[in-house]
Amino acid sequence: MRRRGPVFAAFAAAMALAGCATAPRAPPVSPQSPPPPPPPPSEPPPRSAEAPASLAALPGWEAEDHLAALSAFQAGCAVSRDIAMAIVCGEARALGPVDEARARMFLEANLRPEAVAGSGLLTAYFTPIYEARRRKGGEFTAPVRPRPADLPAADVGGIVGAPYADRAAIEGRAADDAVAWMRPEDLFFLQIQGSGVLVFEDGARAKAVFDGSNGAPFRGVAAPMRQMGLLADKDTSGEAIRAWLADHRGAQAEAVMRLDPRYVFFRLAPDDGADPAGAAGVRLTAGRAVAIDPAWHDLGEVLWIDAASPALSGAFPIYRRLAMALDTGGAIKGEVRADLYMGRGPEAGLEAGRVRHVLRLYRLVPASRDGS
């Protein structure tokens, strides 16, 4: 049994006070989106929305891996419904083998930047890989629940109105139909990401595929954990939260996780070893695909990310690259907002959990389109 010292007592008192307050409701997350963190504590002065004259004038373009950028464009450009972009896409896909110089030349000749005014936020997400068991036992006490038969069909994008049931209510039910068992903190993060890969005790692997949610809004736990002194201001990364939950497994961790009422259900599918498809129906390319707000961007848009001023310790200082808009997320709101897909596994998760950068964004549009 784990000890409940002064930290837990302070936490319990804070939870009691929190129950008397009215907290703002955060938007629900998409099947593959991480929680929306608070904005960085400080931002550089706003930059003018005037676009650079060409791709060559973009910040970081000289250091870009143009061959990787072209490959990402070729993989995702067919999603766009823009006629001019379809022409560029066809020409790109008709290219034979090219080198770095030829890739750069093609992109510069066929695309031009349009600046998006203001600054926003870049975060990241990934496909987690977790240990699991077929039966409950030891640390593996959290059931991976399948979609309930009485869950409304409208829940795919989040139920409008009252949720089906909150996290606490669902966790109180019997789990005779569980498709797998996980460590509680791993299941919590699997639900945040919305999908992942499970590795069983005999080495077998399966994809845990999003199969609906309870429709409750997502509420991140980083801010309340920081406010209650459970985590330091600059140490609210994904791995820091997961480590705290693991170290305080039991009543303390359950109280924190239940601050987020959203609950995700899963079905199992064969693991083909590939990255998942995003909302656009195209497989996500690690480091080159982003989730965006469809109210501001179309799927298939080509974007240039210019992200700096990280808010979390241990983060890479700058992300500058071409990325394709291939996914969406209910927590991704606003025109200058993007969620960068980092790939599969723990290394991708480590990097994704530290991304909280001030974002400048550029649309890369066909050079043939009238810029007036």
Side-chain angles (χ1 to χ4, degrees):
M1 180 178 295
R2 297 181 180 272
R3 296 176 59 191
R4 302 184 183 183
V7 171
F8 179 74
F11 169 66
M15 285 290 294
L17 289 175
C20 301
T22 301
R25 292 169 65 88
V29 293
S30 76
Q32 308 220 18
S33 297
S42 62
E43 297 185 0
R47 183 180 298 170
S48 168
E50 182 179 351
S54 65
L55 298 192
L58 285 169
W61 179 255
E62 185 69 28
E64 168 69 305
D65 182 342
H66 303 96
L67 197 56
L70 176 61
S71 178
F73 176 75
Q74 291 169 322
C77 61
V79 173
S80 175
R81 297 182 179 181
D82 181 85
I83 295 176
M85 186 63 80
I87 295 173
V88 177
C89 182
E91 292 175 352
R93 291 188 161 192
L95 290 172
V98 297
D99 58 15
E100 171 72 10
R102 182 72 181 90
R104 175 174 179 170
M105 186 182 305
F106 178 88
L107 293 170
E108 290 181 351
N110 288 279
L111 299 173
R112 63 174 177 81
E114 289 184 349
V116 179
S119 63
L121 181 66
L122 177 72
T123 52
Y125 66 112
F126 73 111
T127 299
I129 300 176
Y130 292 128
E131 287 187 72
R133 298 290 183 267
R134 292 188 173 85
R135 293 180 178 83
K136 180 179 181 180
E139 297 180 335
F140 298 84
T141 59
V144 181
R145 298 173 186 267
R147 181 189 183 95
D150 60 344
L151 186 71
D155 79 291
V156 174
I159 300 171
V160 177
Y164 168 77
D166 67 13
R167 174 180 293 277
I170 295 170
E171 288 177 342
R173 298 176 179 178
D176 297 336
D177 58 350
V179 298
W181 293 83
M182 298 177 65
R183 298 183 179 97
E185 63 275 9
D186 289 347
L187 176 61
F188 183 68
F189 272 84
L190 178 68
Q191 291 178 322
I192 291 174
Q193 297 299 323
S195 66
V197 176
L198 303 185
V199 182
F200 292 93
E201 57 268 44
D202 59 358
R205 299 163 73 95
K207 281 187 176 179
V209 181
F210 177 90
D211 201 19
S213 78
N214 64 342
F218 169 81
R219 290 176 181 167
V221 300
M225 290 181 75
R226 184 177 61 248
Q227 292 162 4
M228 289 181 280
L230 304 180
L231 294 174
D233 286 350
K234 299 278 283 186
D235 194 24
T236 57
S237 63
E239 73 265 25
I241 295 172
R242 184 182 176 279
W244 191 96
L245 294 174
D247 289 342
H248 298 81
R249 194 177 291 144
Q252 297 179 59
E254 287 172 7
V256 170
M257 291 187 288
R258 286 178 178 179
L259 292 173
D260 176 17
R262 180 177 168 86
Y263 196 94
V264 174
F265 304 100
F266 297 96
R267 59 181 174 83
L268 298 188
D271 176 34
D272 57 6
D275 289 299
V282 174
R283 287 201 182 274
L284 305 174
T285 300
R288 295 285 177 176
V290 291
I292 46 76
D293 182 350
W296 292 96
H297 299 276
D298 294 326
L299 290 172
E301 277 189 2
V302 190
L303 300 169
W304 180 258
I305 293 171
D306 176 12
S309 303
L312 296 176
S313 300
F316 288 132
I318 296 174
Y319 288 92
R320 286 173 174 159
R321 62 186 66 178
L322 180 149
M324 302 298 296
L326 298 177
D327 208 357
T328 60
I332 312 304
K333 294 295 184 183
E335 189 172 15
V336 191
R337 179 74 174 93
D339 205 25
L340 182 62
Y341 178 69
M342 291 300 190
R344 290 165 48 114
E347 290 187 6
L350 186 66
E351 182 177 358
R354 297 174 178 176
V355 179
R356 191 182 303 171
H357 291 56
V358 177
L359 175 65
R360 314 289 186 179
L361 203 58
Y362 301 82
R363 288 183 176 89
L364 306 188
V365 302
S368 59
R369 185 188 298 168
D370 184 5
S372 61

